[in-house]
Amino acid sequence: MITTPKRVGRLTASLIGAVGVILWATETMLVTLTTSIPPLQTVALAFMFSAAMSPAVWLLTGSHPLEAFRQPIRVWVFTVVSLVGYHSCIYYATQQAPPAAAALLQSTTPLMIVLGSAFLPGERLRWWHVVGALLGFVGVTMLVETGGEGASTGSSFFYLALIGVAAGLWGLYSVIARTLPDVPSSTLGVFYAASAVITFAAHFLLETWVPPQPIEWFAVAALGIFPMGLAIYFWDFGLKRGDIQALGAFSYVEPFIGAVLVAVFTGAALSLSLFWSGLLVVTGAVIASAGLWKKSQTTFPAIASSALPETWLTSVSTIASRTDLLDVTNRVVTRLVLIGRDYDNPRSHDREMKELLFALGCLVQIWDELESEHDDNAQPSPSCTLVA
């Protein structure tokens, strides 16, 4: 479920990422049980429990325990800094910052993800992504509106700045993680362990150890297993293989569910404003994920017609047998090799290269589908559709 060997559809991956968002919602309630523990100590202990899940994740996914150590140093720095920086800033600042302003700052992360994804290769920002994200932002604004916090002090601005840094850092992590599809999500366990070591060091330098009570041990363990463990496993997987814009908008659901859980477990009244806020957030999430509910198939952007008498994509669409499939595959690969040898003016083939690469993507999908059927007599059925 978390490793990359098996192909997982875009919708399935997005749903897995959405489960991560729902698990995140437990963080608000669990943190209320750890307020007597220093924030860095809480983060370090939670990461310790997150890392302790690693053997189970490796066993369930069939991944190699040393996979993380095969990753480039930039992946290590990026992941560990994001994990430590985000959680340390959030846990340290939210105890001191004005609640409504802090929640609003945190809610900018989904908007950063949706808008930032437009700059990623192969991603296109559609109107429904923007509308869904804005509706979610309005819903969260209603959720945290208190109207009576008073003026912010200088220290409040410092804590709010930390939350702003955390929100930006997590938005950046979510967008950049999309560009690292070859880094299995199962490697996160080792990164959790590294994060725990670093945060423990920071705790002993800056804080005094407070022995947790039994209920606090339970809360910290739950934090490590759910919002800081499984949630990030699922979120990372969804980001890399699902619809990042839809997931960004759906993450607005997290503060709403968190508020409901806090109200239920603390006995607080559920207000009508909470209902309207939730309605806006959920509506925004549904609109933002509109592209996921279309007919499941591989789609490729339409390409302007070239000067070729017969386009490569037309050749793919006419495949009717394994012989045709082998022939078109050979011709596409041969043409790619010939273009690669044209050192004098490689940019002269840009338009044809786009078409060749899309055609190659279709061919790979057809071969994969044939292989998955385990039937030597099965015939290829091109299912790649050109969309504007």
Side-chain angles (χ1 to χ4, degrees):
M1 178 169 55
I2 298 173
T3 53
T4 59
K6 293 183 180 179
R7 294 191 304 137
V8 175
R10 188 176 176 88
L11 174 58
T12 302
S14 299
L15 291 175
I16 291 173
V19 171
V21 174
I22 295 172
L23 289 175
W24 255 327
T26 63
E27 188 170 41
T28 304
M29 177 194 66
L30 292 170
V31 167
T32 62
L33 303 176
T34 64
T35 53
S36 64
I37 305 176
L40 293 178
Q41 179 182 334
T42 302
V43 174
L45 288 173
F47 274 137
M48 181 183 70
F49 282 103
S50 300
M53 294 191 301
S54 300
V57 173
W58 296 330
L59 180 64
L60 290 172
T61 60
S63 53
H64 198 286
L66 299 180
E67 185 65 34
F69 296 99
R70 299 168 182 165
Q71 304 304 320
I73 187 64
R74 60 184 176 84
V75 173
W76 274 83
V77 172
F78 164 68
T79 306
V80 174
V81 168
S82 298
L83 290 172
V84 173
Y86 171 75
H87 289 94
S88 297
C89 287
I90 287 294
Y91 279 56
Y92 183 75
T94 50
Q95 294 182 2
Q96 304 293 332
L104 278 175
L105 273 174
Q106 290 183 66
S107 70
T108 59
T109 296
L111 205 55
M112 293 181 196
I113 295 171
V114 173
L115 299 180
S117 64
F119 299 97
L120 292 173
E123 296 294 337
R124 298 179 64 184
L125 192 62
R126 304 284 190 153
W127 67 265
W128 55 79
H129 296 136
V130 177
V131 171
L134 291 177
L135 280 176
F137 184 75
V138 172
V140 172
T141 302
M142 290 178 57
L143 179 66
V144 301
E145 181 61 44
T146 60
E149 286 189 340
S152 296
T153 63
S155 61
S156 295
F157 282 118
F158 169 73
Y159 293 119
L160 288 174
L162 284 181
I163 293 175
V165 169
L169 189 60
W170 197 249
L172 186 65
Y173 168 82
S174 299
V175 172
I176 294 181
R178 178 73 171 195
T179 67
L180 302 171
D182 295 329
V183 180
S185 298
S186 57
T187 60
L188 281 169
V190 179
F191 297 137
Y192 289 149
S195 299
V197 171
I198 292 172
T199 317
F200 266 124
H203 159 66
F204 288 118
L205 284 173
L206 303 172
E207 299 173 338
T208 301
W209 173 266
V210 175
Q213 299 301 311
I215 186 65
E216 293 169 335
W217 275 114
F218 167 80
V220 168
L223 279 171
I225 294 171
F226 296 110
M228 290 176 62
L230 290 175
I232 300 178
Y233 274 121
F234 293 149
W235 176 253
D236 185 81
F237 185 83
L239 285 175
K240 291 174 178 175
R241 303 196 171 275
D243 187 325
I244 184 173
Q245 291 101 344
L247 281 173
F250 184 78
S251 58
Y252 278 119
V253 172
E254 184 267 328
F256 165 68
I257 299 177
V260 172
L261 289 175
V262 170
V264 169
F265 284 92
T266 61
L270 293 172
S271 65
L272 187 61
S273 63
L274 185 62
F275 167 78
W276 290 115
S277 170
L279 184 62
L280 276 174
V281 168
V282 173
T283 301
V286 171
I287 292 174
S289 59
L292 289 172
W293 309 107
K294 297 179 180 179
K295 184 179 179 181
S296 179
Q297 57 185 6
T298 303
T299 59
F300 299 95
I303 301 173
S305 58
S306 66
L308 298 174
E310 181 184 32
T311 66
W312 292 107
L313 291 170
T314 301
S315 298
V316 173
S317 66
T318 59
I319 293 174
S321 66
R322 286 178 177 263
T323 302
D324 292 340
L325 177 59
L326 185 60
D327 176 66
V328 174
T329 302
N330 286 335
R331 287 197 288 121
V332 167
V333 172
T334 301
R335 182 59 181 162
L336 284 169
V337 171
L338 289 175
I339 291 176
R341 291 174 178 171
D342 185 5
Y343 300 112
D344 293 331
N345 190 15
R347 296 303 303 273
S348 63
H349 303 289
D350 278 0
R351 185 168 60 179
E352 186 183 359
M353 275 294 294
K354 289 179 182 179
E355 195 167 70
L356 279 166
L357 291 174
F358 284 127
L360 185 61
C362 254
L363 291 168
V364 170
Q365 177 194 336
I366 296 169
W367 280 111
D368 285 346
E369 289 173 352
L370 283 177
E371 187 178 30
S372 65
E373 289 179 6
H374 303 294
D375 183 359
D376 294 336
N377 297 320
Q379 296 301 316
S381 177
S383 58
C384 300
T385 302
L386 303 183
V387 297

